[in-house]
Amino acid sequence: RWGFNTLAEYHHWVMRPGPLSDPNPEQLPYVHIIKPAYYALDNRYGFGNGPVKDMISGTDPRYYTGYRGGQSPDFFDPNFESYVDGWMRGDDGLKYGNIGNPWMLGIAMDDTDDLFGFGPGPDVPAPRLHPHLGWIALVTSFEQSSSRWVTSYSDRAVYTKYALRDFLAARYGTISALNAAWGSTYTTFDSAGGGASTRPGATPGSAAGRTSSPPPRPPCAPTSETSCTSTQSATSRSWPPRCANTRRSTSSSGPPH
């Protein structure tokens, strides 16, 4: 009689029916939600081993001039996996009366506002276009010292960038092979590019703010988002599944019953 048959993700918990302490007598199916892509950025509630960095935040505004109101977490950071696992085990909304509740249809994993880069690209008409995550990984800085979520990171590494560097080195083998495929003139896979202290196309031997022994760094980015098509395709096959697999593996164990 209300014109709907399911409670969406952002409903108030008092509206939930089932075996709860004070259930809603109106038996409506509902969907639970957890949001690790946003709350992991400052390790909210202490579910993880530490905060996770935002890829968009690490881009230089001279090169990335797009929307900055959304986030794209560093899914390769081990802290992200520990945060998802910690949330699934420690979320009181799941532990107390929801797991096993016949009225819970499922768990929504995150909000697209906090998954910037998973939306439409320039090939799809849309009010807001998303940059390709492969390109964002190339132009983001390989380290972050601080952000609007964390005043100082004890671990400055941006793991997605290091993972992309290793992926490119394994795929092409030599920098000359990468240059042949990209039409570029890089001198090493350890070139820095697109970050706050370098310009696209630069190939410095080191970069400002490096710690003593960070993981290998990725090569510098092409000078435009449209000039790295082959790398975008390769990256898009490896990055979103990483995010999905992390959530799938942690969700399969679930919180304590």
Side-chain angles (χ1 to χ4, degrees):
R1 65 178 182 269
W2 291 337
F4 62 89
N5 57 15
T6 302
L7 298 172
E9 295 89 344
Y10 288 104
H11 67 273
H12 196 283
W13 289 359
V14 299
M15 300 175 68
R16 297 181 176 183
L20 306 171
S21 58
D22 185 18
N24 181 0
E26 193 72 39
Q27 295 180 326
L28 280 172
Y30 66 90
V31 177
H32 187 72
I33 185 172
I34 71 171
K35 298 176 60 178
Y38 178 76
Y39 290 115
L41 296 177
D42 59 4
N43 194 24
R44 193 81 54 89
Y45 314 119
F47 287 144
N49 295 329
V52 175
K53 299 167 196 71
D54 167 34
M55 302 285 288
I56 301 293
S57 179
T59 59
D60 192 313
R62 291 175 296 174
Y63 311 126
Y64 173 66
T65 59
Y67 179 68
R68 292 184 175 273
Q71 300 83 42
S72 183
D74 181 6
F75 293 119
F76 281 83
D77 189 332
N79 287 342
F80 183 77
E81 186 165 355
S82 73
Y83 191 87
V84 177
D85 182 72
W87 190 322
M88 292 298 296
R89 295 178 186 279
D91 181 358
D92 58 357
L94 290 174
K95 288 192 296 183
Y96 303 122
N98 289 286
I99 294 297
N101 188 338
W103 296 102
M104 187 174 80
L105 297 181
I107 304 170
M109 305 301 289
D110 271 312
D111 188 313
T112 52
D113 287 345
D114 309 313
L115 291 171
F116 196 59
F118 284 80
D123 53 327
V124 179
R128 178 181 295 150
L129 301 180
H130 289 220
H132 197 290
L133 290 176
W135 185 74
I136 289 297
L138 285 166
V139 301
T140 197
S141 177
F142 57 85
E143 289 186 355
Q144 291 185 31
S145 59
S146 63
S147 70
R148 58 189 170 117
W149 294 279
V150 176
T151 55
S152 179
Y153 291 109
S154 58
D155 177 6
R156 297 185 174 189
V158 178
Y159 288 83
T160 297
K161 186 131 184 170
Y162 305 148
L164 181 57
R165 182 273 178 190
D166 292 343
F167 167 82
L168 292 174
R171 174 167 180 168
Y172 292 103
T174 64
I175 196 65
S176 59
L178 181 144
N179 285 332
W182 287 19
S184 54
T185 57
Y186 304 139
T187 59
T188 171
F189 283 107
D190 288 328
S191 297
S197 59
T198 59
R199 67 185 188 281
T203 54
S206 62
R210 242 188 108 175
T211 52
S212 57
S213 299
R217 299 193 307 272
C220 57
T223 56
S224 71
E225 186 173 353
T226 58
S227 62
C228 56
T229 304
S230 61
T231 303
Q232 289 176 350
S233 299
T235 308
S236 64
R237 288 195 297 270
S238 62
W239 190 5
R242 166 74 180 191
C243 172
N245 290 340
T246 294
R247 294 168 177 175
R248 186 179 303 115
S249 64
T250 54
S251 298
S252 62
S253 59
H257 288 247

